[in-house]
Amino acid sequence: MKTLDIDVAVIGAGSAGLSAFRAAKAKGASVVLIEGAHYGTTCARVGCMPSKLLIAAAEAAHAARRTAPFGVHIDGAVRIDGAEVMARVKAERDRFVKFVVESTEGLPADERLIGYARFIDDNILQVGDDTRVHAKSTVIATGSTPFVPAMYQALGDRAIVNDDVFAWDDLPRKVAVIGAGVIGLELGQALAWLGVEVTMLGARGRVGPLSDPAIKNHAHEVFSEAFHFEPDAVVEAATREGDNVHLRYRDGAGVVRDETFDYVLVTAGRRPNLDKLALLNTSLEIDARGVPVFDAATLQAGRHPVFIAGDANDVLPLLHEAADEGRIAGENAAHVALDAQGELKPLVRRAPMSIVFSEPGIAMVGARFVDLAVDSFVTGEVSFEDQGRSRVMLRNRGMMHVYVDKASRRFVGAEWIGPDAEHIAHLLAWTLQMGLTVDNTLAMPFYHPVVEEGLRTALRSAAAQLANG
């Protein structure tokens, strides 16, 4: 048995783990990075990047079908070669993964271990069968895995998760998407635009991350143009029939429907990868989800020398959040390991932002509509149906609500669906993080003609309501 004495052990070589490793090392700690499977982040392998590659192909197909209103006519039907689509997705995905793998493998060999780690106690880890790590502190950054309810597990390889989509060699004929969250909406629309017959079965009226009823209803209408969308469905049975899946579900009106699909794509959320860690061997307090109870500011699990960052803590499963959390967890783990003086460093989160890479895009910045105190804010509104630049490009679909606090006149949040949402979201996130008022924001320059003029209209709407008391 090989024994390694170290200051900080980082479990997981994803975005949070790599950030934690670098931060702890920068503080002067001896560090080891432990990875159970393979190098390459969730984002690069099965998340952000391959999904955007599929979406890019879908947007090209969608644009090609919509040239006639401009007076540009393409003779014949748009032909989509599913094998070529997936070949590019996988080739470019592998290129992104290669960069991440090379970067990780560029770390000193004696600072990396391959093998699943499990706790022997709070300070001792067993890695694989032949290595024991004695660590003064540990960072858990093991990421997350798609959750598949038991009903669909019985379907074998006909029930897939987003990871599996990017292993396809060709596009299927017909797919049911279970779940109308961010991943479901992005992949569902992309597949539909690439010629796949898609039925999306959501639950409890969910449409992505949206909580504002008016914006949610508008988004439902928009997505229903691309595929059959049931946001209030209840799946009653799922059975395997050869290489097909038969679903029986009740739609929002209570009507029972029976359909057969090539695949069921389950996008029912993700769960932290903690089951292999043997956390019961530690003195950590574990919550109902199986996640160690930790301080939201320092990411420390109680008073123990254990920190948890990234998707593993199940707070904000986004790459930039994981990197920020990993950095703070690594610094604080080094602080504990080196018996440094002073308090642990708190995590200062950036302005919250959520983006769905659909067309039109969905975005949310700051406080959600449902979390704001009634009568504490005004709602500025704009429709993109007649917004100048949006109409010029024939991308004039969408609606935006911005929320402005009545007392301080500060921008506090927004929810919307509309063109270039991913870019406007950054402007509003900066506005929120800088604590700007609606007046400060309207004093900023707005060029003409740009989609951002729609944001100005919404802000003017909010300012007018404040002026009217």
Side-chain angles (χ1 to χ4, degrees), residues 21-100:
F21 174 87
R22 296 187 180 106
K25 193 171 180 181
K27 287 292 184 181
S30 58
V31 192
V32 66
L33 182 68
I34 304 168
E35 174 55 55
H38 40 63
Y39 295 141
T41 63
T42 295
C43 171
R45 285 189 177 278
V46 294
C48 320
M49 304 315 293
S51 68
K52 302 312 166 286
L53 286 161
L54 189 71
I55 290 168
E59 289 176 341
H62 184 60
R65 295 189 188 101
R66 299 175 67 249
T67 61
F70 295 100
V72 179
H73 301 278
I74 298 175
D75 295 332
V78 175
R79 184 177 66 86
I80 298 170
D81 187 314
E84 290 182 8
V85 168
M86 295 311 302
R88 179 177 185 265
V89 168
K90 290 191 285 188
E92 286 296 305
R93 182 270 315 275
D94 292 347
R95 179 172 172 271
F96 289 122
V97 171
K98 178 174 177 286
F99 294 147
V100 178

Side-chain angles (χ1 to χ4, degrees), residues 48-331:
C48 320
M49 304 315 293
S51 68
K52 302 312 166 286
L53 286 161
L54 189 71
I55 290 168
E59 289 176 341
H62 184 60
R65 295 189 188 101
R66 299 175 67 249
T67 61
F70 295 100
V72 179
H73 301 278
I74 298 175
D75 295 332
V78 175
R79 184 177 66 86
I80 298 170
D81 187 314
E84 290 182 8
V85 168
M86 295 311 302
R88 179 177 185 265
V89 168
K90 290 191 285 188
E92 286 296 305
R93 182 270 315 275
D94 292 347
R95 179 172 172 271
F96 289 122
V97 171
K98 178 174 177 286
F99 294 147
V100 178
V101 171
E102 287 178 348
S103 175
T104 308
E105 290 181 340
L107 300 174
D110 60 351
E111 295 179 349
R112 295 182 282 117
L113 286 177
I114 292 292
Y116 285 102
R118 63 183 186 277
F119 282 91
I120 302 300
D121 61 29
D122 288 1
N123 295 98
I124 301 176
L125 296 168
Q126 178 74 38
V127 181
D129 296 324
D130 58 1
T131 304
R132 185 156 289 188
V133 176
H134 293 253
K136 295 177 182 176
S137 62
T138 302
V139 176
I140 298 173
T142 46
S144 63
T145 302
F147 169 65
V148 179
M151 174 187 292
Y152 304 110
Q153 292 178 15
L155 301 176
D157 62 4
R158 295 290 105 178
I160 61 172
V161 295
N162 60 289
D163 302 29
D164 304 313
V165 169
F166 310 119
W168 281 342
D169 293 323
D170 203 343
L171 294 170
R173 180 185 60 87
K174 190 174 181 181
V175 171
V177 179
I178 307 299
V182 173
I183 295 173
L185 289 180
E186 288 185 352
L187 294 183
Q189 186 185 62
L191 291 173
W193 281 358
L194 288 168
V196 178
E197 186 178 344
V198 173
T199 293
M200 182 169 294
L201 304 178
R204 298 177 296 281
R206 183 180 183 187
V207 182
L210 296 169
S211 74
D212 188 313
I215 306 299
K216 188 189 300 184
N217 290 339
H218 190 85
H220 175 235
E221 293 175 8
V222 170
F223 285 106
S224 293
E225 296 171 3
F227 49 78
H228 180 203
F229 187 5
E230 296 285 353
D232 270 309
V234 177
V235 179
E236 298 183 341
T239 54
R240 175 89 177 244
E241 297 178 350
D243 285 335
N244 295 311
V245 173
H246 179 81
L247 292 185
R248 171 168 291 179
Y249 66 92
R250 193 176 300 274
D251 65 20
V255 177
V256 175
R257 299 176 180 270
D258 289 276
E259 287 191 68
T260 300
F261 302 90
D262 296 334
Y263 290 98
V264 172
L265 171 56
V266 182
T267 62
R270 301 178 68 88
R271 291 189 172 176
N273 292 328
L274 300 171
D275 55 304
K276 291 183 172 68
L277 293 178
L279 293 174
L280 293 179
N281 292 336
T282 71
S283 58
L284 302 177
E285 180 184 356
I286 309 298
D287 68 16
R289 303 166 300 161
V291 178
V293 176
F294 65 96
D295 183 274
T298 64
L299 304 182
Q300 184 178 19
R303 303 290 294 178
H304 307 281
V306 176
F307 299 80
I308 183 164
D311 290 11
N313 68 29
D314 202 25
V315 177
L316 289 170
L318 301 168
L319 185 145
H320 66 278
E321 296 285 355
D324 285 349
E325 291 181 4
R327 175 175 50 81
I328 293 299
E331 289 184 10

